[in-house]
Amino acid sequence: TLISKHYSLLRRMRLLIVGAGATGSLLANLLSKRGGVVAGTVPLELVLWDKASGGGGRMSTHRLATGQDPPPKQGSGLHVDMGAQYISRFRDEAFHDKEVKQLKEDVFQELTEKGVLVEFSGEIEGFPPKQDQSVVKNYVAPAGLSHVAKHLLNTSNAEVFFKHCLVRVDIDQRERKVNCTCTAGGNGDGLKCCSFDALVLTMPVPQVLGLEGGLIPPHLESHLKEVQYSSRYALGLFFEDATDWTWSCSWTAKYFDDPVVRFMCWDTAKYASPAKGRTLLVHTSVPFGLQFLETDKKQVEQSILEVVKRLLPDLPKPCHTHIIRWRFSQVFKPYKGTPGFVVLNENPLVVVTGDAFVHSNFEGCIEAALAVANNLFPVIN
């Protein structure tokens, strides 16, 4: 294959994956299980960097002062999913080959058997009709959807480093190495540079384009710039003690036809939560998110709360709030042809992949990870 031909004589490969979201964690897990790394007999050194303090990416979970992540008892404590709210299992299309179908089945089977995912049985009002026809089941995570990525990483053989934000990539053509520079520790003060034999980038495409070092070939730059993401805000509301609540909704999650609020979900109603309190997630509409993308988050939060109070007038005052600006939320214009991945440099190998190169959901991340892994397996073996 294109990826493996340059490494046919390589006895040891040091591979860096950047991004601990769905695609990065799936790829690390897949390479570990199918590449023989778990047995320790195949010479692949797998390293993963992520700029955040924990895994999950756009499957982010915010917790209310539990001190542990996830809490000691899976599903205990108050938390709210700030990004994806549920994971959909779609009807397999006829054009999907057997390997893709089998991997999707294996991933969902493992995550449900381990209790990471459980079937979502709540009521979703205003579910998009197009999506509704193709969805087989929806799943939620009692410990928060970030636990999906964490489980995949914990069952891989990757050496994971959080608070490592990649800022520069330099290609050493003479030594056939990829020199990667990151800010380490989360404060941006210290720089760390490491050399690798191959690099897989899974972060949003605009962040790839923003890397220093002149990595992007001119003939690919225009295609990468065509990839577009929606932007929105997510607001989590915490109600610490709701044992005396008499008010309730007929829905667990609801899509709203409102210029500010697009979606709300009672996070603690998605599963059998043992917590006394409740958490509510609010996603804004994309037009609102774009209009106020650079506005102070506290100001945006107040605007959202006013609309939430109008839509849910009996809602009590929350004890805690948390707001996130999703600059790169969902992909609405993917890379031309959705190839699964794009090779930025052949030798040493640099690849960019993710849901922007397939389709923007968890199953798209599975397909992207498999596309890259299939080209790396011959290298590892």
Side-chain angles (χ1 to χ4, degrees), residues 7 27 67 94 98-99 115 119 121 150 190 225 236 268 305 321 340 342:
Y7 294 92
L27 179 60
K98 290 183 179 179
E99 187 179 20
E119 189 173 343
S121 56
K150 291 170 187 177
K225 285 183 176 179
T268 39
L305 284 171
T321 63
V342 169

Side-chain angles (χ1 to χ4, degrees), residues 1-10 346-349 379:
T1 64
L2 176 63
I3 291 181
S4 62
K5 67 180 181 180
H6 298 287
Y7 294 92
S8 58
L9 300 178
L10 191 64
E346 292 188 15
N347 189 13
L349 175 68
V379 180

Side-chain angles (χ1 to χ4, degrees), residues 78-356:
L78 277 177
H79 61 263
V80 62
D81 291 323
M82 299 296 292
Q85 293 301 294
Y86 48 84
I87 291 177
S88 296
R89 180 72 173 97
F90 292 91
R91 188 174 293 106
D92 285 321
E93 301 291 345
F95 57 81
H96 284 164
D97 60 30
K98 290 183 179 179
E99 187 179 20
V100 172
K101 292 180 181 179
Q102 187 60 55
L103 179 59
K104 289 181 180 180
E105 186 176 321
D106 291 345
V107 169
F108 277 94
Q109 182 176 343
E110 177 182 342
L111 292 174
T112 52
E113 285 183 352
K114 297 296 184 181
V116 178
L117 291 180
V118 297
E119 189 173 343
F120 175 53
S121 56
E123 179 69 25
I124 304 177
E125 287 190 11
F127 202 66
K130 280 186 178 180
Q131 194 177 20
D132 191 41
Q133 294 172 6
S134 59
V135 172
V136 177
K137 285 181 181 179
N138 290 315
Y139 293 91
V140 295
L145 277 175
S146 64
H147 193 50
V148 173
K150 291 170 187 177
H151 170 82
L152 292 168
L153 290 174
N154 288 340
T155 52
S156 77
N157 203 40
E159 189 176 8
V160 181
F161 296 90
F162 293 117
K163 295 184 179 180
H164 279 51
C165 180
L166 182 68
V167 295
R168 184 181 180 92
V169 177
D170 293 291
I171 305 297
D172 187 339
Q173 297 290 3
R174 182 178 178 180
E175 298 294 331
R176 295 291 184 260
K177 295 287 185 181
V178 187
N179 297 324
C180 299
T181 304
C182 71
T183 56
N187 54 16
D189 294 335
L191 290 177
K192 174 180 176 181
C193 185
C194 301
S195 292
F196 299 91
D197 298 296
L199 169 66
V200 179
L201 302 167
T202 71
M203 66 261 231
V205 173
Q207 293 179 354
V208 176
L209 289 167
L211 293 172
E212 299 175 10
L215 174 66
I216 311 300
H219 70 283
L220 294 177
E221 186 173 6
S222 60
H223 295 303
L224 290 168
K225 285 183 176 179
E226 290 175 357
V227 176
Q228 296 180 28
Y229 294 77
S230 60
S231 300
R232 69 178 77 242
Y233 283 90
L235 177 63
L237 307 179
F238 289 75
F239 307 91
E240 203 161 23
D241 190 356
T243 54
D244 58 346
W245 279 23
T246 56
W247 173 81
S248 63
C249 289
S250 60
W251 45 267
T252 308
K254 183 175 180 177
Y255 289 87
F256 289 85
D257 185 15
D258 184 88
V260 177
V261 172
R262 174 58 180 141
F263 177 85
M264 281 196 268
C265 180
W266 288 104
D267 197 286
T268 39
K270 293 192 297 187
Y271 48 88
S273 172
K276 291 182 179 181
R278 295 188 188 185
T279 54
L280 177 68
L281 181 279
V282 183
H283 275 170
T284 69
S285 67
V286 172
F288 177 87
L290 289 171
Q291 183 179 354
F292 298 99
L293 191 59
E294 305 304 332
T295 305
D296 179 75
K297 287 196 291 185
K298 280 295 181 183
Q299 183 179 336
V300 173
E301 180 178 326
Q302 288 305 312
S303 298
I304 298 171
L305 284 171
E306 289 174 8
V307 177
V308 171
K309 191 64 177 175
R310 171 171 56 81
L311 295 172
L312 304 177
D314 296 326
L315 192 69
K317 185 178 180 180
C319 67
H320 173 72
T321 63
H322 181 69
I323 189 169
I324 284 182
R325 177 190 291 121
W326 288 114
R327 190 175 296 274
F328 308 114
S329 181
Q330 287 182 299
V331 179
F332 73 87
K333 186 178 180 182
Y335 189 89
K336 185 179 180 181
T338 57
F341 64 90
V342 169
V343 177
L344 301 180
N345 195 81
E346 292 188 15
N347 189 13
L349 175 68
V350 179
V351 174
V352 58
T353 186
D355 57 349

